[in-house]
Coordinates of all heavy atoms in Angstrom, one line a residue:
Chain B
I219 N -10.9 -29.7 9.7 CA -9.8 -30.2 8.9 C -8.6 -30.5 9.7 O -8.0 -31.6 9.5 CB -9.6 -29.3 7.7 CG1 -10.7 -29.3 6.7 CG2 -8.2 -29.6 6.9 CD1 -10.6 -28.2 5.6
I220 N -8.1 -29.6 10.5 CA -7.0 -29.8 11.4 C -7.3 -31.0 12.3 O -6.3 -31.9 12.6 CB -6.5 -28.5 12.0 CG1 -6.0 -27.6 10.9 CG2 -5.3 -28.8 12.9 CD1 -5.1 -28.1 9.8
N221 N -8.4 -30.9 12.9 CA -8.7 -32.0 13.9 C -8.7 -33.3 13.3 O -8.2 -34.3 14.0 CB -10.1 -31.7 14.5 CG -10.1 -30.6 15.7 OD1 -9.1 -30.6 16.4 ND2 -11.1 -29.9 15.8
M222 N -9.5 -33.5 12.2 CA -9.5 -34.9 11.7 C -8.5 -35.2 10.7 O -8.4 -36.4 10.3 CB -10.9 -35.1 11.1 CG -11.3 -34.3 9.8 SD -13.0 -34.0 9.5 CE -13.6 -35.7 9.3
G223 N -7.8 -34.3 10.2 CA -6.8 -34.5 9.1 C -7.5 -34.3 7.7 O -8.6 -34.6 7.5
G224 N -6.7 -33.8 6.8 CA -7.2 -33.4 5.4 C -7.6 -34.6 4.7 O -8.8 -34.6 4.0
D225 N -7.1 -35.8 4.9 CA -7.5 -37.0 4.2 C -8.8 -37.4 4.6 O -9.7 -37.8 3.7 CB -6.5 -38.1 4.2 CG -5.1 -37.9 3.5 OD1 -5.3 -37.2 2.4 OD2 -4.1 -38.3 3.9
E226 N -9.1 -37.4 5.8 CA -10.4 -37.9 6.4 C -11.5 -36.8 5.9 O -12.6 -37.3 5.5 CB -10.3 -37.8 7.9 CG -9.7 -39.0 8.5 CD -10.4 -40.3 8.0 OE1 -11.6 -40.5 8.2 OE2 -9.7 -41.2 7.5
Y227 N -11.2 -35.6 5.9 CA -12.1 -34.6 5.5 C -12.4 -34.8 4.1 O -13.6 -34.7 3.6 CB -11.5 -33.1 5.6 CG -12.6 -32.0 5.3 CD1 -13.4 -31.6 6.3 CD2 -12.7 -31.4 4.0 CE1 -14.3 -30.5 5.9 CE2 -13.5 -30.5 3.7 CZ -14.3 -29.9 4.7 OH -15.2 -28.9 4.5
A228 N -11.5 -35.1 3.2 CA -11.7 -35.3 1.8 C -12.6 -36.6 1.6 O -13.1 -36.7 0.4 CB -10.4 -35.5 1.1
K229 N -12.8 -37.4 2.5 CA -13.6 -38.6 2.3 C -15.1 -38.3 2.3 O -16.0 -39.0 1.8 CB -13.3 -39.6 3.3 CG -12.0 -40.4 3.1 CD -11.8 -41.5 4.1 CE -10.3 -42.0 4.1 NZ -9.9 -42.6 5.4
I230 N -15.5 -37.1 2.9 CA -16.8 -36.7 3.0 C -17.1 -36.0 1.8 O -16.2 -35.3 1.1 CB -17.0 -35.8 4.2 CG1 -16.5 -36.5 5.6 CG2 -18.4 -35.2 4.4 CD1 -16.4 -35.5 6.7
G231 N -18.4 -36.1 1.2 CA -18.7 -35.4 0.0 C -18.7 -36.3 -1.2 O -18.6 -37.5 -1.1
V232 N -18.6 -35.7 -2.4 CA -18.6 -36.4 -3.6 C -17.5 -35.7 -4.6 O -17.6 -34.5 -4.7 CB -19.9 -36.5 -4.2 CG1 -20.6 -35.0 -4.4 CG2 -19.9 -37.3 -5.5
G233 N -16.7 -36.5 -5.1 CA -15.6 -36.1 -6.0 C -14.8 -34.9 -5.6 O -14.4 -34.9 -4.5
R234 N -14.7 -33.9 -6.4 CA -13.9 -32.7 -6.0 C -14.8 -31.8 -5.1 O -14.3 -30.8 -4.7 CB -13.5 -32.0 -7.2 CG -12.5 -32.8 -8.2 CD -11.5 -32.0 -8.9 NE -12.2 -30.9 -9.7 CZ -12.1 -29.6 -9.6 NH1 -11.2 -29.1 -8.6 NH2 -12.8 -28.8 -10.3
S235 N -16.0 -32.2 -4.7 CA -16.9 -31.4 -3.8 C -16.6 -32.0 -2.4 O -17.5 -32.9 -2.0 CB -18.3 -31.3 -4.2 OG -18.4 -30.7 -5.5
T236 N -15.5 -31.8 -1.7 CA -15.4 -32.5 -0.5 C -16.0 -31.7 0.6 O -16.2 -30.5 0.7 CB -13.8 -32.6 -0.2 OG1 -13.2 -31.3 -0.1 CG2 -13.1 -33.4 -1.3
G237 N -16.3 -32.5 1.8 CA -16.6 -31.9 2.9 C -18.2 -31.5 3.1 O -19.0 -32.0 2.4
T238 N -18.4 -30.7 4.1 CA -19.8 -30.2 4.2 C -19.9 -28.8 3.8 O -18.9 -28.1 3.7 CB -20.2 -30.3 5.7 OG1 -19.4 -29.5 6.5 CG2 -20.0 -31.7 6.2

Side-chain angles (χ1 to χ4, degrees):
Chain B
I219 289 171
I220 297 310
N221 277 327
M222 70 203 297
D225 286 330
E226 280 305 303
Y227 184 89
K229 285 182 193 159
I230 304 166
V232 55
R234 293 208 309 120
S235 297
T236 62
T238 64

